[in-house]
Amino acid sequence: MFAIRCVLVFLLAAVASTRGANILGLFSSHSPSHLIIHMSVAKALAEAGHNVTVVSMMEPKIKHKDITLIVIPMDEEQELILENQMTEMAGQKNSLVSTMNRLLNDMDVMIKAQADLLSDPRFQRIYETKFDLMILGYFINDFQLAVAHKLKVPVIVDWMSAPIPAIEQFVGNPSEVAYVPILGTAVSHPMGLFNRIENLAKSLLFKGIFFAFDIKLTRIYKEVFPEKDQPSLSDLRKNISMAFVGSQLNSEGPIRPLVPAIIEIGGIQIKDKPNPLPKDIDAFLNQSTHGAVFLSLGSNIKSSAVKPEIIQTIFKVLSGLKQSVIWKWEDLENTPGNASNILYKNWLPQDDILAHRKTKLFITHAGKGGITESQYHGVPMVALPIFGDQPANAAVMEKSGYGVALDLLTITEDSLREALKEVLENEKYSQAVGKFSALYRDRPLTAKQSVVFWAEYVLRHHGAPHLQSPAVHMSFIALNNLDIYTLILTIFVLFILLTRLVGKLIWKKIWGKAKISESKKKQ
Ligand SMILES: *[C@@H]1O[C@H](CO)[C@@H](O)[C@H](O)[C@H]1NC(C)=O
Ligand SMILES: *[C@@H]1O[C@H](CO)[C@@H](O)[C@H](O)[C@H]1NC(C)=O
Ligand SMILES: *[C@@H]1O[C@H](CO)[C@@H](O)[C@H](O)[C@H]1NC(C)=O
Ligand SMILES: *[C@@H]1O[C@H](CO)[C@@H](O)[C@H](O)[C@H]1NC(C)=O
């Protein structure tokens, strides 16, 4: 009896040691779509009984009664700079490189504000609590790793889509540029010579950009943490226990190696069961006899930042459809126009609408979050990308056969009408995305279960150094065996030189002797 009781007490203690941990979520990315992903991670942990404290720069849409929120907004001046930059970006073509360049220069408030936050008194208060784990929402904010160092807790980095070079570097994941297209470029496999040249060039370009970021981040880090005994930023990077990434490559591709410290939690933001829709939206969808089209250009860009002509083009086409249309539009006083088949709303439960059986098509700006939800629910798409990773997301989506991508800045009534007709009437799109949906959901653990299991794993073992790839601690030269190649090349060159030298000597000897004997003969 006593033994059983002992075992029970022991078991309870073992459970209690990971349940009810104090977890800090530091989510200072100034992007609502990133925050949704990070908050979904926090929520999964809160639902599993942990005491989660979240620091963010804006009020998150996803909340939970057991999550303590500390919202520390940007100052007004920074906010203004950012808004101007976003509006500027909506009016032009933006490549990933130009977006990165902007982040490095004109738009670097997005980085600086994340450093300012650390010295805010509202933030400083977190040091009074004893935490067990920190989750860092990644957005070019490596210097925030110092918070975990101060708290003496392990860190899990959370990134909102498939692993990017920075995340790979944290955990020592191989990049495999010969067949892994960089940041979701659409290619056919096996990659031909030109595709590989392009991919290698892009990958080097990104290395260059991240090198520039690194200089900036290291400078900021030294400014914010000037103490002498502070470890270097690169040492802190080598102490990351795990990375959660918002992908599920088994179904999304590309198929590639991932080290055990990368945990895929793609689709974490999607509810296991959709919430009931608000009454008016539900009724609107229910009475649509031909199904419904859902239009949302995302949360970063206000609809009003898109040129009025483009909005009018979209309105003319949508008001002529026989399908019902739900349009996400912020300014309900000034809508693009009245039409009996269009319902404007300034906030919409995107996931729940996409889950509705009447939703036949999603018109999206091709943000990673929206595309993932649409794919999860098997809804085909028409993509109108604007900037950042959106054009690449749209291209991959189109290549996968889940819909059609157009360029938002150059759409015409005809091109948009054609695209909508094609995706609504040709069944191949809904079939392809339906097939994907079935694959995407077929996993050993749901995204939520993965988050809870692996976070508790890190808690139980106080970090996960045993999972770490040795590559993390190797230099670029050693990791790529460049020293060995140099050695082999040197030996080879030496061998050739030596052979030539010896050859010359022998030649001279024989020739020399011949000459001598010849001259002797002549005498
Ligand atoms: C939960 O976290 C908050 C900090 O946000 C802290 O004040 C509180 O003491 C924690 N609760 C427990 C039970 O540790
Ligand atoms: C919409 O239809 C569903 C299923 O047919 C039903 O359960 C729901 O109550 C309907 N909603 C409204 C507002 O009519
Ligand atoms: C649309 O209808 C509302 C009232 O239903 C009206 O206030 C508004 O002016 C109309 N807008 C346009 C562009 O006709
Ligand atoms: C490295 O992480 C462990 C927890 O995993 C922590 O205890 C330790 O203080 C960290 N070291 C540094 C230098 O931050």
Side-chain angles (χ1 to χ4, degrees):
M1 195 61 209
F2 178 70
I4 291 176
R5 210 176 279 166
C6 274
V7 167
L8 263 181
V9 167
F10 178 76
L11 274 181
L12 280 176
V15 170
S17 68
T18 56
R19 294 283 147 165
N22 270 335
I23 301 176
L24 172 68
L26 180 44
F27 307 148
S28 56
S29 158
H30 200 274
S31 158
S33 56
H34 291 218
L35 192 54
I36 285 174
I37 303 288
H38 302 323
M39 285 307 294
S40 304
V41 170
K43 192 172 168 186
L45 292 168
E47 280 168 358
H50 297 292
N51 184 23
V52 185
T53 306
V54 164
V55 180
S56 69
M57 279 201 191
M58 49 196 151
E59 201 64 35
K61 294 219 175 80
I62 295 180
K63 293 184 182 175
H64 188 272
K65 62 177 176 37
D66 296 332
I67 298 181
T68 310
L69 265 180
I70 304 176
V71 180
I72 307 172
M74 274 187 180
D75 64 40
E76 266 170 41
E77 196 184 330
Q78 289 173 328
E79 201 79 62
L80 201 67
I81 296 175
L82 196 61
E83 194 160 315
N84 288 338
Q85 287 285 324
M86 285 289 184
T87 309
E88 215 173 274
M89 284 173 86
Q92 65 190 43
K93 245 183 135 68
N94 302 281
S95 69
L96 197 54
V97 173
S98 70
T99 308
M100 298 284 243
N101 187 36
R102 210 179 264 268
L103 273 173
L104 203 49
N105 298 300
D106 299 339
M107 212 160 76
D108 69 353
V109 283
M110 283 187 104
I111 300 176
K112 281 195 192 135
Q114 299 191 81
D116 295 348
L117 174 118
L118 301 180
S119 37
D120 192 292
R122 285 166 290 182
F123 181 80
Q124 293 278 329
R125 243 181 290 148
I126 65 138
Y127 294 119
E128 291 160 18
T129 307
K130 190 178 169 333
F131 285 100
D132 305 302
L133 173 69
M134 172 167 130
I135 303 198
L136 179 67
Y138 178 72
F139 192 81
I140 323 176
N141 51 351
D142 313 27
F143 44 77
Q144 292 182 342
L145 289 168
V147 176
H149 172 71
K150 261 183 135 162
L151 293 169
K152 297 194 173 58
V153 295
V155 192
I156 297 176
V157 169
D158 187 38
W159 169 242
M160 53 100 62
S161 60
I164 50 168
I167 300 292
E168 291 187 330
Q169 197 204 343
F170 288 159
V171 291
N173 199 60
S175 312
E176 302 294 337
V177 285
Y179 60 92
V180 180
I182 199 123
L183 279 172
T185 325
V187 297
S188 307
H189 291 284
M191 283 163 71
L193 178 65
F194 287 106
N195 267 333
R196 278 183 295 124
I197 292 177
E198 190 189 339
N199 207 45
L200 182 61
K202 272 191 187 164
S203 136
L204 291 176
L205 183 66
F206 274 107
K207 284 226 158 69
I209 293 174
F210 271 95
F211 188 69
F213 273 128
D214 187 37
I215 294 174
K216 197 180 188 92
L217 293 175
T218 306
R219 208 190 54 225
I220 294 177
Y221 174 69
K222 286 192 177 138
E223 275 166 23
V224 184
F225 302 98
E227 298 84 7
K228 279 255 153 44
D229 56 346
Q230 190 74 13
S232 73
L233 184 54
S234 70
D235 281 345
L236 293 185
R237 287 195 187 109
K238 289 175 190 160
N239 202 25
I240 292 170
S241 292
M242 204 165 264
F244 289 163
V245 295
S247 57
Q248 215 272 336
L249 299 184
N250 284 358
S251 50
E252 293 170 303
I255 297 304
R256 55 168 306 182
L258 293 179
V259 293
I262 291 188
I263 302 298
E264 293 194 289
I265 57 162
I268 181 74
Q269 76 278 28
I270 301 168
K271 297 183 209 78
D272 300 333
K273 222 180 113 214
N275 287 344
L277 285 168
K279 284 228 166 55
D280 55 339
I281 299 177
D282 197 20
F284 183 77
L285 283 172
N286 267 7
Q287 51 85 24
S288 66
T289 39
H290 297 282
V293 172
F294 173 30
L295 165 66
S296 166
L297 295 181
S299 39
N300 272 329
I301 300 262
K302 294 203 166 62
S303 309
S304 54
V306 181
K307 275 204 210 114
E309 302 92 85
I310 295 177
I311 296 296
Q312 274 315 304
T313 305
I314 298 176
F315 173 74
K316 278 190 196 132
V317 175
L318 292 186
S319 56
L321 289 178
K322 58 178 192 261
Q323 284 81 8
S324 304
V325 176
I326 297 184
W327 188 330
K328 179 169 177 282
W329 184 267
E330 285 83 16
D331 184 3
L332 294 178
E333 306 275 292
N334 290 299
T335 61
N338 290 336
S340 60
N341 70 328
I342 302 183
L343 174 70
Y344 296 100
K345 283 273 164 189
N346 54 10
W347 189 81
L348 288 163
Q350 179 161 298
D351 184 23
D352 302 327
I353 293 177
L354 288 170
H356 198 281
R357 68 202 156 80
K358 284 290 179 80
T359 307
K360 299 289 179 232
L361 170 71
F362 182 34
I363 306 178
T364 170
H365 66 305
K368 176 73 185 166
I371 289 204
T372 303
E373 286 167 24
S374 205
Q375 289 179 169
Y376 183 90
H377 294 296
V379 178
M381 286 162 267
V382 166
L384 304 173
I386 305 173
F387 62 84
D389 61 342
Q390 298 161 7
N393 292 343
V396 171
M397 183 280 289
E398 185 174 60
K399 184 135 182 98
S400 312
Y402 309 151
V404 170
L406 298 174
D407 177 11
L408 178 69
L409 298 183
T410 59
I411 51 166
T412 61
E413 280 182 46
D414 284 340
S415 70
L416 183 60
R417 196 175 292 120
E418 247 337 282
L420 296 182
K421 189 167 143 58
E422 169 71 11
V423 179
L424 281 166
E425 289 176 10
N426 192 334
E427 281 191 357
K428 72 175 188 191
Y429 299 100
S430 56
Q431 275 165 6
V433 73
K435 203 169 153 191
F436 172 84
S437 170
L439 267 182
Y440 190 70
R441 296 163 187 233
D442 201 349
R443 351 177 164 181
L445 290 180
T446 65
K448 274 198 183 115
Q449 288 167 342
S450 295
V451 163
V452 174
F453 177 82
W454 288 104
E456 290 181 353
Y457 180 92
V458 170
L459 281 166
R460 277 195 294 275
H461 304 288
H462 308 289
H466 57 282
L467 267 193
Q468 195 176 48
S469 164
V472 173
H473 299 278
M474 289 170 83
S475 70
F476 180 80
I477 291 177
L479 189 58
N480 293 283
N481 277 339
L482 296 184
D483 44 358
I484 299 184
Y485 298 141
T486 312
L487 194 66
I488 293 175
L489 198 70
T490 313
I491 292 172
F492 184 68
V493 169
L494 280 180
F495 179 74
I496 302 249
L497 287 180
L498 216 65
T499 318
R500 267 185 57 178
L501 198 70
V502 171
K504 251 187 191 163
L505 281 178
I506 295 175
W507 185 253
K508 242 187 187 162
K509 255 205 168 132
I510 298 173
W511 201 234
K513 265 188 189 156
K515 258 187 182 166
I516 291 168
S517 57
E518 226 164 74
S519 57
K520 270 187 181 164
K521 257 185 204 165
K522 269 185 187 165
Q523 273 178 359

